[in-house]
Amino acid sequence: MQIMQDRRNLHRIPELDRDLPKTLEYLKESLKGLSCRVFSPMDGALCAWFDFGADAVYLAGTSFGMRSFAGNFDDDALKRAVDYVHFHGKKIFVTVNAYMYNNDLDGVAETCRVLEDIGADAAIVADPATIEIAREV
């Protein structure tokens, strides 16, 4: 695959190793014409992800994510993140991907409404019941 060859080339071209602008240009040129979406988890290095060509980021709120206790974004922080990402012309996806029992579903509809209200581009959902609830919202 071309992308694997490009990755190997990065390690074989010494001047790219220490020159970030040249490396970025090389990566952008290598990725031209590929029909793929590059996305990354959102963290403190958000600007760097965009510099390296990410089209979108994903993150989790404090509820219903597979990593609910990983220091995720509360509703206010989610809104700020969405505004920041959209300001830069990128997309943002929010995980609502926990697998739940029926008694765990309270609040899923409200979470989906919040995501819609703040302008998240999509939700990453895994549980069939959550998918059904998200469609109804």
Side-chain angles (χ1 to χ4, degrees):
M1 286 182 68
Q2 181 62 40
I3 201 156
M4 290 304 292
Q5 183 61 43
D6 291 335
R7 185 170 179 213
R8 285 187 203 106
N9 287 345
L10 279 175
H11 299 290
R12 293 183 183 142
I13 305 171
E15 63 269 18
L16 293 182
D17 190 33
R18 295 186 183 14
D19 189 338
L20 184 59
K22 278 186 183 177
T23 303
L24 288 173
E25 191 57 40
Y26 178 82
L27 288 171
K28 286 177 186 175
E29 194 61 37
S30 296
L31 294 172
K32 269 187 188 172
L34 289 179
S35 60
C36 66
R37 179 169 299 259
V38 179
F39 68 104
S40 161
M42 184 169 173
D43 57 16
L46 178 61
C47 294
W49 287 118
F50 290 156
D51 286 345
F52 279 103
D55 300 308
V57 292
Y58 68 91
L59 54 83
T62 54
S63 306
F64 307 112
M66 293 282 280
R67 298 173 18 148
S68 294
F69 301 102
N72 296 327
F73 293 74
D74 63 22
D75 289 350
D76 291 333
L78 279 173
K79 175 64 177 147
R80 288 192 308 274
V82 167
D83 290 344
Y84 179 83
V85 170
H86 286 165
F87 176 79
H88 290 282
K90 306 295 183 173
K91 294 195 179 280
I92 186 164
F93 310 129
V94 182
T95 61
V96 186
N97 61 342
Y99 287 96
M100 295 175 264
Y101 294 102
N102 290 342
N103 61 338
D104 296 328
L105 294 171
D106 293 338
V108 170
E110 180 58 29
T111 296
C112 291
R113 278 189 210 94
V114 167
L115 297 181
E116 185 175 36
D117 290 346
I118 65 173
D121 293 295
I124 299 172
V125 183
D127 184 76
T130 304
I131 293 169
E132 187 175 317
I133 291 169
R135 283 184 176 157
E136 292 173 3
V137 173

